[in-house]
Amino acid sequence: EAGVAQSPRYKIIEKRQSVAFWCNPISGHATLYWYQQILGQGPKLLIQFQNNGVVDDSQLPKDRFSAERLKGVDSTLKIQPAKLEDSAVYLCASSAVWRAVSGKDTQYFGPGTRLTVL
Amino acid sequence: KQEVTQIPAALSVPEGENLVLNCSFTDSAIYNLQWFRQDPGKGLTSLLLIQSSQREQTSGRLNASLDKSSGRSTLYIAASQPGDSATYLCAVRHTNAGKSTFGDGTTLTVKP
């Protein structure tokens, strides 16, 4: 079974530029998550999708971050314009369901995209 | 607001030692707690998930315990190996349909 795919793996941009990340979840997984992980910290949830609808985006800085999940499969996360403090690893994860039922909410993580903002 | 703390932030042990990693949380009203492993430059891998009604879970050399009343969980690793070197994170899920709050992790180094 293929895992969660993310691209690019690394990205370096200057502040005020825009950037986009792509995620392809495990086939058949209805729930998709985007996390931001700053160096030395645990992941922080940015947005959670159930199919192509948003379940939780309470921690997404909506003035500069946006995300979409077209057709309930692939997802893109965009930052425009980027700030220095956006330097982090952006992790995508997917799970079969979003409710914690019989462990089926176990999240499978992709390798992440490391963003450096100069 | 739920806060999850992992102590120590880093740990170095010689190969073969048994060790315990700690995770504490401020709100005991949790749905489940999960332990993850993160290797450098990679994503997270789920190790063990404990439901709120359970006291412990075991997988191979790993044993995770949960004490909701005291807001604590421990991950016990038996007979540590250099391949166990990684960052270990715990995540607390608040409700059936809620999001998880992660700790900042403990970075473990097992020396040959």
Side-chain angles (χ1 to χ4, degrees):
Chain A
E1 178 181 77
V4 177
Q6 290 188 247
S7 68
R9 291 296 313 278
Y10 306 92
K11 189 74 177 179
I12 301 174
I13 62 173
E14 294 189 350
K15 60 183 179 182
R16 291 189 290 274
Q17 286 186 325
S18 63
V19 64
F21 312 126
W22 174 82
C23 172
N24 181 242
I26 292 175
S27 177
H29 278 193
T31 309
L32 185 146
Y33 312 77
W34 282 104
Y35 290 88
Q36 179 192 59
Q37 186 176 25
I38 294 172
L39 185 64
Q41 298 181 14
K44 181 183 79 173
L45 180 70
L46 293 176
I47 189 167
Q48 176 182 339
F49 291 96
Q50 171 69 9
N51 295 312
N52 59 353
V54 175
V55 174
D56 188 331
D57 64 357
S58 58
Q59 298 188 99
L60 185 74
K62 299 181 184 63
D63 58 334
R64 297 185 300 107
F65 286 65
S66 65
E68 61 180 5
R69 189 182 184 197
L70 299 176
K71 300 181 181 179
V73 182
D74 294 5
S75 176
T76 55
L77 176 69
K78 297 179 181 178
I79 307 175
Q80 182 179 9
K83 293 184 176 181
L84 296 177
E85 58 261 36
D86 298 332
S87 293
V89 175
Y90 291 84
L91 295 165
C92 178
S94 70
S95 63
V97 297
W98 68 293
R99 289 187 179 271
V101 178
S102 300
K104 292 184 178 180
D105 64 318
T106 295
Q107 296 179 42
Y108 297 87
F109 283 79
T113 296
R114 182 175 297 278
L115 173 67
T116 301
V117 182
L118 302 176
Chain B
K1 176 185 175 184
Q2 178 75 272
E3 292 183 3
V4 180
T5 304
Q6 292 187 248
I7 295 173
L11 181 65
S12 181
V13 301
E15 183 178 4
E17 270 204 8
N18 302 325
L19 59 101
V20 174
L21 305 181
N22 298 294
C23 172
S24 62
F25 45 94
T26 54
D27 186 349
S28 62
I30 66 170
Y31 193 83
N32 63 37
L33 184 145
Q34 196 162 4
W35 282 93
F36 292 87
R37 169 184 173 140
Q38 185 172 30
D39 292 284
K42 297 188 177 181
L44 282 67
T45 301
S46 177
L47 297 174
L48 292 165
L49 184 149
I50 310 176
Q51 302 292 354
S52 62
S53 59
Q54 298 176 320
R55 293 300 298 260
E56 64 178 330
Q57 282 285 339
T58 299
S59 176
R61 294 182 295 108
L62 305 180
N63 176 277
S65 68
L66 174 64
D67 184 342
K68 273 202 326 177
S69 60
S70 65
R72 297 173 66 178
S73 176
T74 61
L75 179 66
Y76 175 83
I77 302 177
S80 58
Q81 304 171 357
D84 295 330
S85 298
T87 296
Y88 291 81
L89 298 109
C90 67
V92 172
R93 183 154 187 162
H94 308 278
T95 64
N96 184 356
K99 63 177 180 281
S100 294
T101 299
F102 283 80
D104 289 338
T106 294
T107 299
L108 172 67
T109 302
V110 181
K111 299 179 178 179

